[in-house]
Amino acid sequence: MEPFKLEFAIDGEDFHSAGEASSETKKALKKLGIPADTIRRVSICMYEGEMNMVLHANGGAVTVEVGEDAIAIALADSGPGIPDIGAALSEGFSTATNEIRELGFGAGMGLPNMKKYCDEMDIQTELGVGTTVTMKINL
Amino acid sequence: MKLSEIERVLGAKVFCGGDRLDEEALSACGSDLMSDVLAFVKDQAVMLTGLVNQQVVRTAEMMDMKCIVFVRGKAPDESIVNLARGYGLVVMSTEYTMYVACGLLYSNGLGNT
Ligand SMILES: Nc1ncnc2c1ncn2[C@@H]1O[C@H](COP(=O)(O)OP(=O)(O)OP(=O)(O)O)[C@@H](O)[C@H]1O
Ligand SMILES: [Mg+2]
């Protein structure tokens, strides 16, 4: 398969359009003929990551690369960073405000969920500088 | 259970996807927490929820669902309905509470696996 790359800028101010990049990615992967269960995993991982960027980091940039044997997703933001990655990765941990909870998020399931559905995950973060989450889903 | 049967059991009002009510749903889930839906739902084709916003529609789309039912008479606004229509989702609203709506569908044979 030809290498295939998608790039998105995620608006941190716009809760309503959050997830647009994930649904565009889903559409593109369907066209490429990627198996449905793989698309579902990519969709969940990317959507959770995209929501985190909007809810916790004021937006950022996402790239999706479809390679020979894996799909790679990179989510980079210039948000506050994550003080304790171990805590953030545990189920139920969330710093979400009541406002975020009223929108249906903030269960502390996003990062654990991403870890569960991808084959490889890496988080680079620096307080006051930003966070980059990369995930790989094997084809 | 056919989506038309869900509409009937819940006395629901259909906002979009009225031409797809012949489709079958084998299971459903009920939640107001989208991150829980993303974490625990497998192949549930129907989501009942008391939460009304764009992210409900996106979550349903990410999970390849067919139908969203808003409970407690909550009506989605135009932009939510348009988003759902674009994804080919059926959107309904019922006056029943979450508890009663889930109970009615379950006792009429719609399980969760
Ligand atoms: N990109 C990010 N920048 C800064 N902090 C983040 C970022 N992503 C996650 N976090 C922190 O990690 C915590 C856990 O994230 P996680 O996605 O697991 O849960 P959540 O977003 O709070 O809730 P949910 O994902 O269930 O809606 C967040 O509450 C937040 O404190
Ligand atoms: Mg999250």
Side-chain angles (χ1 to χ4, degrees):
Chain A
M1 193 194 298
E2 290 283 297
F4 181 89
K5 189 171 177 179
L6 293 166
E7 289 179 69
F8 304 95
I10 309 299
D11 183 351
E13 300 292 317
D14 189 359
F15 171 79
H16 294 301
S17 60
E20 257 171 27
S22 302
S23 61
E24 275 186 41
T25 298
K26 187 177 175 185
K27 229 189 274 168
L29 296 181
K30 257 190 203 165
K31 274 200 193 133
L32 288 177
I34 307 286
D37 59 322
T38 307
I39 296 180
R40 168 96 59 98
R41 290 168 62 207
V42 171
S43 299
I44 295 173
C45 288
M46 181 165 168
Y47 180 58
E48 290 280 19
E50 201 184 336
M51 290 315 298
N52 278 356
M53 273 185 150
V54 173
L55 297 173
H56 309 298
N58 203 27
V62 184
T63 52
V64 182
E65 277 178 277
V66 183
E68 278 287 307
D69 37 41
I71 298 174
I73 307 165
L75 302 117
D77 67 58
S78 315
I82 303 175
D84 182 344
I85 294 180
L89 277 168
S90 55
E91 287 190 7
F93 177 90
S94 176
T95 60
T97 57
N98 276 337
E99 206 184 345
I100 292 178
R101 286 175 215 274
E102 274 162 24
L103 295 169
F105 292 85
M109 292 306 299
L111 286 171
N113 213 6
M114 288 151 79
K115 198 173 165 75
K116 178 169 111 188
Y117 286 108
C118 74
D119 293 298
E120 269 175 57
M121 176 157 96
D122 177 67
I123 304 175
Q124 297 293 328
T125 188
E126 198 178 330
L127 292 184
V129 177
T131 302
T132 300
V133 180
T134 51
M135 290 174 282
K136 228 179 212 179
I137 287 116
N138 294 335
L139 285 171
Chain B
M1 184 183 283
K2 275 201 163 64
L3 299 182
S4 56
E5 179 75 357
I6 295 178
E7 177 198 13
R8 192 189 60 78
V9 169
L10 298 179
K13 175 174 183 229
V14 176
F15 287 86
C16 67
D19 52 330
R20 291 199 190 78
L21 298 179
D22 254 359
E23 289 186 22
E24 283 283 338
L26 297 178
S27 62
C29 66
S31 181
D32 290 350
L33 264 183
M34 293 306 110
S35 35
D36 263 354
V37 172
L38 291 158
F40 298 116
V41 166
K42 279 217 168 73
D43 281 311
Q44 282 79 354
V46 180
M47 169 165 52
L48 293 93
T49 185
L51 184 73
V52 187
N53 63 38
Q54 270 83 351
Q55 300 312 329
V56 173
V57 177
R58 293 218 205 268
T59 300
E61 149 74 359
M62 295 303 152
M63 302 305 280
D64 306 308
M65 291 178 173
K66 292 182 178 172
C67 175
I68 299 168
V69 181
F70 293 111
V71 299
R72 256 181 296 130
K74 292 185 179 177
D77 68 27
E78 195 60 24
S79 66
I80 295 175
V81 174
N82 284 338
L83 186 64
R85 190 179 288 120
Y87 289 145
L89 287 161
V90 177
V91 172
M92 305 180 191
S93 171
T94 176
E95 293 296 326
Y96 291 116
T97 62
M98 176 75 102
Y99 180 72
V100 174
C102 291
L104 282 171
L105 292 181
Y106 196 88
S107 59
N108 276 274
L110 185 61
N112 82 328
T113 43

